Amino acid sequence: MDYSNLPSQSEQQSRKASGPANDMSDALRPSNPDTASLTRAHLKADARTPRNRINRKALGHIWQSIDIFVVLLLTVTGALALSGGAITSVAAGELLPLLAFAALCPALTLMMGLYRIDPRESAVLRMLRAVIATALTGSAITALSWLTAPDLAHQVATFAITGVGALTLLHVIYAAFIQHWGKSGRLARNVVLVGATANASKLIKANAGSGTVNVVGIFDDRTARSPQALAGAPYLGTTDDLVGWSLLHEVDRIILTVSPKAEDRVRLLLGKLRALPHTVCLLLDFDSLGPSQTTLDDIVGVQAARMSGLEERFGHNLAKRTQDLILGVGLFVAALPVMALIAVAVRLGSPGPILFRQTREGFNGRPIKVLKFRTMRHDPASAAKPMRQVELDDPRVTRIGGFLRKTSLDELPQLWNVLTGEMSLVGPRPHAPGMRTGGTETAKLVAEYAHRHRVKPGITGWAQINGSRGPLHTPEAARERIALDVAYIAKANVWFDLWIMIRTLPALLGDKANIR
């Protein structure tokens, strides 16, 4: 089914109140909720939305890395013990059981599914699988030692018992963490459903308390047919309300529960939702769906077609974070003397704080506090005034502030934001919530504006080295910057980031046109 030919904005408007209703039964059709009901629903959604959640896939990779490290550590320690500290003088046959342990143990734990994090699984079953994987490894290397090094078989057996015990203990600890985090909701994906359908109701009921997916709420454009709640999940408004929802940054997935057979309806909804940075999934195969046997977690991972958003790239994210930490620490330490001098100059230049904390939009549009050296005259009442972009010869900018902005040295404190994980060294520059260009909210000028939130904001970026820096005063400038940001996200990798960093200083020094 082809959903690529999306309707225009005018077509969306004309279809908004027409077309067949969702496949909702009469029991799910109360009257349109009033304003007070919607307010209560939003408060309920806020209360049921877990924060500080943990990425299960990343957690599995981390635990796998820990296991591999422990296995290698045990192998080296065992080799030193068996050889009396002279590993090079020991025959290969005597070390073969230990090398087999280093290879077999990670393979068997992976085959037993011990790095697949499922809060629904009992701790006893997880520990049993860990014992089976490690015991098989221990038995195999003990048997191998009788063939390759009979004189050391007893020592190898002792090593095997030690290794099995150590790794089993690790997985007991892992199981305890999974149980604790599962009960607190930190391992659940936050999702919203678009389409208050009967199948959506069945799925929510069948998967209540699973700990894998938390349905924050329901959105549906057919307000006259939308319930105030669906299987306990509150109705939160239309898809237009979803786009501007204050909790949207806490959502991991958006699931369309409208039947794929309603092609016009699906196209209409995707036309709106593709503007968001989130992954949008379309629930497939309603006819063969068995809600009592199918979890929402399975649907998000398998039985839904990803219609919009980026696939999760754990390897890329890990490499990028490692790059940020290694280079970020080095740059932060190297910049400390410069930052100390700037701090003194800012303090002596004008009254007010040295650092300025700005609210900016981070990954998925989540609000973050970005640090900068203060470059403007301190105005305690400025927080209550509408934000105004800096202009040429702006009287608010101090003398030292003008120099800092021209050289971008005012952004050095953002290295701390990189180290804390709120920003990256390279990425789209963080914009203020509700930023305006020429009197119009920038997000309304560019349909792809929210796509820039699919990655963390950066200190420098592809747009900046291509001349798009500073305030945006025209719609054309806004569209150019967003196009460059989206182009960066499409081809981002570690080497591309390094190339952008190398080009940042020459591009910055050669820029005489942009206001900063």
Side-chain angles (χ1 to χ4, degrees), residues 57-102:
K57 185 179 290 186
L59 183 63
H61 284 296
I62 291 170
W63 283 352
Q64 185 179 20
S65 300
I66 292 173
D67 279 2
I68 292 173
F69 174 76
V70 170
V71 166
L72 292 177
L73 184 63
L74 286 170
T75 302
V76 172
T77 304
L80 289 172
L82 289 177
S83 64
I87 296 178
T88 55
S89 62
V90 177
E94 296 178 354
L95 293 179
L96 188 59
L98 301 187
L99 296 176
F101 175 81

Side-chain angles (χ1 to χ4, degrees), residues 330-408:
L331 291 171
F332 186 79
V333 172
L336 277 176
V338 178
M339 288 195 286
L341 292 174
I342 293 173
V344 172
V346 171
R347 173 64 75 184
L348 296 177
S350 64
I354 295 172
L355 292 177
F356 180 54
R357 291 172 175 82
Q358 301 172 304
T359 300
R360 292 290 184 263
E361 293 177 322
F363 177 71
N364 257 9
R366 181 177 286 107
I368 60 174
K369 292 290 184 180
V370 172
L371 299 175
K372 293 182 74 172
F373 283 117
R374 181 175 57 84
T375 59
M376 295 186 178
R377 304 186 192 285
H378 182 52
D379 180 8
S382 61
K385 300 177 182 177
M387 197 190 77
R388 198 177 103 215
Q389 296 195 71
V390 178
E391 301 171 353
L392 185 64
D393 297 325
D394 197 312
R396 297 173 297 166
V397 178
T398 63
R399 186 167 60 178
I400 183 64
F403 170 76
L404 295 177
R405 296 179 77 92
K406 186 176 181 180
T407 57
S408 292

Side-chain angles (χ1 to χ4, degrees), residues 248-392:
L248 188 58
H249 61 270
E250 294 290 349
V251 171
D252 300 305
R253 295 284 190 280
I254 298 171
I255 304 178
L256 284 179
T257 50
V258 178
S259 172
K261 296 177 182 178
E263 297 184 33
D264 290 343
R265 182 82 178 120
V266 172
R267 286 195 185 97
L268 177 64
L269 291 171
L270 285 176
K272 295 180 179 180
L273 299 178
R274 275 182 173 161
L276 299 175
H278 301 70
T279 296
V280 178
C281 299
L282 175 63
L283 184 58
L284 301 176
D285 198 11
F286 272 79
D287 296 331
S288 64
L289 183 65
S292 60
Q293 291 81 36
T294 308
T295 68
L296 276 171
D297 196 46
D298 295 332
I299 290 166
V300 172
V302 179
Q303 292 181 288
R306 187 175 61 86
M307 309 303 296
S308 179
L310 295 175
E311 288 188 28
E312 189 175 28
R313 298 186 296 167
F314 177 79
H316 167 74
N317 293 338
L318 177 62
K320 188 172 178 65
R321 183 60 184 150
T322 302
Q323 182 186 63
D324 284 342
L325 286 174
I326 293 174
L327 296 181
V329 168
L331 291 171
F332 186 79
V333 172
L336 277 176
V338 178
M339 288 195 286
L341 292 174
I342 293 173
V344 172
V346 171
R347 173 64 75 184
L348 296 177
S350 64
I354 295 172
L355 292 177
F356 180 54
R357 291 172 175 82
Q358 301 172 304
T359 300
R360 292 290 184 263
E361 293 177 322
F363 177 71
N364 257 9
R366 181 177 286 107
I368 60 174
K369 292 290 184 180
V370 172
L371 299 175
K372 293 182 74 172
F373 283 117
R374 181 175 57 84
T375 59
M376 295 186 178
R377 304 186 192 285
H378 182 52
D379 180 8
S382 61
K385 300 177 182 177
M387 197 190 77
R388 198 177 103 215
Q389 296 195 71
V390 178
E391 301 171 353
L392 185 64

